[in-house]
Amino acid sequence: MQPNQIVIDNEFQNLIRPLSGEERKELQESLSICGLLMPLVVWRHEGKNIVVDGHNRLSLWKEFDGFGDFEFKTQELRFGNRDKVKEWIIKNQLGRRNLSPDDYKLLVGMLYNQRKKGAHDGGKGKPRTGDQNDPHSKNDKTAEVVAAETGVSPATVKRAGKLATAVEAIQAAEPELPREEVIEKAKKPAAKPKPKLSLEKLLPKRWGSFIKDIAVTEHTDVRLWLTAKLKEAAL
């Protein structure tokens, strides 16, 4: 199998932490000296050869049109569906040694969320009633299983799941934001909106008739000015 016969799936690639400039340079040097020490993992699906592990190596191999006489090696694995592929990629990333604490926590959350999807009945998006894998159940076995696999507590797994959900939402809204900033933004608790109070609740009851007069004032600027002043007086 040749590099130009393999494609990159964006959804799969987004599960992998991007290399820094220095890391990419080191990988390039390694490929030029040693070639591929491990074959790229490929999934054959719907007539396409999709890379599952080795996105950065494939990218560099295509960019430099190979590295000397080194052989381009691949290994094909079989998966039942895309969810199985995503879980494999996440677990494979969790085995990396160069993960930061934030990266590890994010991957734990991604694994947990991915497993929760598998607990849904027939892919219809509704958890089975009373299911021990129902993430909304007090008896959430999914968190316990992921915790045992990743060496953290079930509570940490659930917090990591919320972090992963927040990261996904931020990346969708701000795709150009650097990964580190996305994670830091996701870690901050969402600000609770202040409740909006009407003038009737802010001001004494004896001003009630005056407030009604404001609502029918013909001059918009005057009405807005009076409303603002009354709010200031109440606060």
Side-chain angles (χ1 to χ4, degrees):
M1 191 180 298
Q2 298 303 312
N4 58 7
Q5 296 175 306
I6 303 175
V7 298
I8 290 177
D9 184 288
N10 290 333
E11 185 179 16
F12 295 162
Q13 186 176 36
N14 288 338
L15 298 174
I16 300 169
R17 178 182 67 84
L19 295 181
S20 65
E22 186 62 28
E23 289 172 329
R24 187 174 177 84
K25 183 179 179 181
E26 290 175 358
L27 179 58
Q28 177 190 336
E29 292 176 354
S30 174
L31 289 171
S32 64
I33 295 171
C34 308
L36 289 172
L37 297 177
M38 297 290 291
L40 273 68
V41 178
V42 175
W43 178 42
R44 179 75 176 174
H45 181 63
E46 296 182 347
K48 297 179 181 179
N49 299 309
I50 304 173
V51 62
V52 173
D53 181 47
H55 293 78
N56 295 304
R57 288 174 288 160
L58 175 63
S59 174
L60 284 168
W61 204 277
K62 287 183 176 181
E63 180 180 343
F64 291 94
D65 196 21
F67 290 88
D69 297 328
F70 288 117
E71 179 186 2
F72 183 76
K73 297 175 287 187
T74 61
Q75 176 185 2
E76 184 178 339
L77 295 184
R78 296 181 180 181
F79 300 95
N81 52 51
R82 292 182 63 87
D83 284 339
K84 294 294 184 182
V85 178
K86 287 188 280 187
E87 182 172 331
W88 187 93
I89 292 174
I90 294 168
K91 292 181 70 175
N92 189 53
Q93 291 297 305
L94 279 167
R96 306 289 187 189
R97 290 178 295 179
N98 61 339
L99 294 174
S100 68
D102 280 344
D103 285 327
Y104 191 83
K105 184 177 180 180
L106 179 58
L107 285 167
V108 169
M110 291 164 66
L111 179 61
Y112 175 58
N113 291 344
Q114 189 62 39
R115 291 277 180 84
K116 286 195 300 183
K117 288 179 60 179
H120 288 168
D121 184 13
K124 296 179 181 179
K126 296 181 179 180
R128 292 185 285 271
T129 303
D131 196 323
Q132 65 180 10
N133 292 322
D134 179 357
H136 302 291
S137 169
K138 293 182 180 179
N139 186 26
D140 183 4
K141 294 296 183 182
T142 304
E144 294 180 12
V145 172
V146 174
E149 292 179 5
T150 57
V152 298
S153 69
T156 297
V157 169
K158 292 181 180 181
R159 288 194 296 269
K162 293 179 180 180
L163 173 67
T165 299
V167 166
E168 185 177 357
I170 295 170
Q171 287 179 327
E174 304 176 70
E176 301 301 322
L177 198 65
R179 180 185 176 89
E180 292 75 13
E181 293 183 30
V182 169
I183 294 176
E184 287 302 316
K185 191 172 182 178
K187 287 163 64 177
K188 296 178 181 178
K192 295 182 179 180
K194 294 181 179 179
K196 293 183 178 180
L197 299 177
S198 64
L199 281 177
E200 287 82 355
K201 292 183 178 180
L202 285 172
L203 302 176
K205 291 183 178 179
R206 64 178 180 273
W207 290 7
S209 59
F210 184 58
I211 294 171
K212 292 179 181 179
D213 291 339
I214 294 177
V216 296
T217 301
E218 294 181 1
H219 299 286
T220 303
D221 292 340
V222 174
R223 185 171 67 250
L224 291 175
W225 181 84
L226 287 172
T227 301
K229 289 300 179 183
L230 284 173
K231 284 185 177 180
E232 289 177 11
L235 300 174

